[in-house]
Amino acid sequence: MIPEDLERQISLAEAEGAVPFLVSATSGTTVLGAFDPLEAIADVCQRRGLWLHVDAAWGGSVLLSQTHRHLLDGIQRADSVAWNPHKLLTAGLQCSALLLRDTTNLLKRCHGSQASYLFQQDKFYDVALDTGDKVVQCGRRVDCLKLWLMWKAQGGQGLERRVNQAFALARYLAEEMKKREGFELVMEPEFVNVCFWFVPPSLRGKQESLDYSERLAKVAPVLKERMVKEGSMMIGYQPHGTRGNFFRLIVANPALTQADMDFLLNELERLGQDL
């Protein structure tokens, strides 16, 4: 998000008679792993009196790392934050949190229905212990227990090492790609999303060809089919804007090593050598 453009879009919406009330920033986008500049966005929201929500479902766990938490500078100014520990921290599925600055039982006031067939009020214990009518999920299992158990088992330092290792392996992979012919990064990784094209031998040096992008976009689906049928790897791919299909490797599994990164590169070269 470009803060200056955000300000312009708010003014444009107001000029059209709309009433802007919320800005949703992102910390760790799904495909590229990008982080919005939260401090600058928070400044805009503060000036305009808008609610700031931060979708940190993917990138929120970076706060546990002293080395990389600067990517979320300004998140403390948000009115609400979404966070999914089941992603980068690999907590048991599903583990999601919605954190609110508001302390007036906002979720209950918005979503509580006092359904008599679900949440009887004349129980022998304190009905404040019933969480079902306070949240959107109603009777879904309590996610926080999974996070608490994992945190007790790993400790804060253990979870920090998990995050730092993921960053280090993503950086290692990106640097190794630069050393090999046939690998082209979509962008320098900001997070643990490593987005890249594998350029097969038949397309190397053909970047000026009119059909280069069209032919390159067909490579990832073919390689994905081959790796799945081989049973050796599973890497997602997708287009993005004007960019044709590229691979999106997420380095999150705490069991991964540099040897796994080397295997991945070697396997792509092997599977794509005849393309």
Side-chain angles (χ1 to χ4, degrees):
M1 188 184 296
I2 302 170
E4 295 78 13
D5 188 54
L6 169 63
E7 191 102 51
R8 189 177 70 84
Q9 295 294 340
I10 294 169
S11 297
L12 180 62
E14 290 175 339
E16 294 173 345
V19 182
F21 68 94
L22 177 143
V23 173
S24 183
T26 307
S27 292
T29 57
T30 302
V31 177
L32 298 179
F35 287 77
D36 283 336
L38 300 182
E39 287 283 14
I41 294 171
D43 288 342
V44 174
C45 292
Q46 186 174 339
R47 283 196 301 271
R48 297 291 194 132
L50 303 179
W51 182 287
L52 174 58
H53 174 72
V54 178
D55 177 356
W58 177 213
S61 299
V62 176
L63 279 173
L64 292 166
S65 168
Q66 296 296 322
T67 304
H68 301 288
R69 63 186 308 169
H70 63 88
L71 291 168
L72 291 106
D73 283 352
I75 197 170
Q76 73 279 2
R77 299 173 64 186
D79 296 288
S80 57
V81 175
W83 174 39
N84 288 352
H86 67 245
K87 293 181 177 175
L88 184 57
L89 295 183
T90 67
L93 281 171
Q94 171 169 327
C95 185
S96 302
L98 176 62
L99 309 173
L100 297 169
R101 181 183 298 279
D102 186 287
T103 59
T104 64
N105 251 338
L106 182 62
L107 286 179
K108 184 174 183 179
R109 289 192 289 118
C110 289
H111 301 284
S113 60
Q114 291 87 47
S116 59
Y117 62 93
L118 285 176
F119 310 113
Q120 295 79 22
Q121 300 301 298
D122 54 352
K123 295 174 182 172
F124 65 92
Y125 56 82
D126 183 1
V127 294
L129 297 173
D130 292 337
T131 60
D133 212 26
K134 300 176 183 178
V135 294
V136 184
Q137 300 97 322
C138 189
R140 203 181 72 184
R141 292 171 182 169
V142 180
D143 287 7
C144 63
L145 178 61
K146 305 165 192 175
L147 176 61
W148 183 83
L149 287 170
M150 182 183 68
W151 214 319
K152 290 290 286 184
Q154 297 289 329
Q157 291 182 341
L159 295 181
E160 180 178 13
R161 282 194 299 271
R162 185 171 289 187
V163 174
N164 288 342
Q165 180 189 8
F167 270 89
L169 284 178
R171 174 47 51 193
Y172 172 81
L173 180 63
E175 293 304 316
E176 288 300 305
M177 284 181 176
K178 296 175 184 178
K179 301 175 185 177
R180 301 197 187 205
E181 187 179 12
F183 291 92
E184 181 182 345
L185 288 170
V186 174
M187 59 175 283
E188 286 292 332
E190 187 176 13
F191 191 19
V192 297
N193 304 40
V194 183
C195 299
F196 65 95
W197 287 282
F198 177 76
V199 183
S202 65
L203 288 179
R204 292 171 193 170
K206 305 285 181 63
Q207 286 85 348
E208 303 303 320
S209 301
L210 293 177
D211 62 347
Y212 175 80
S213 296
E214 181 181 350
R215 292 172 64 189
L216 182 61
K218 296 177 180 178
V219 172
V222 173
L223 286 177
K224 177 66 176 280
E225 179 182 353
R226 291 182 177 185
M227 68 177 74
V228 170
K229 289 182 176 178
E230 286 268 344
S232 58
M233 298 190 302
M234 185 80 85
I235 309 174
Y237 68 86
Q238 70 284 301
H240 187 270
T242 59
R243 302 179 178 101
N245 287 322
F246 56 83
F247 284 112
R248 172 173 56 105
L249 181 72
I250 304 299
V251 185
N253 187 335
L256 290 172
T257 65
Q258 289 187 0
D260 294 312
M261 303 297 100
D262 295 335
F263 172 82
L264 180 143
L265 297 174
N266 293 335
E267 183 70 354
L268 282 173
E269 288 177 335
R270 184 182 74 84
L271 294 174
Q273 62 186 343
D274 63 336
L275 295 178

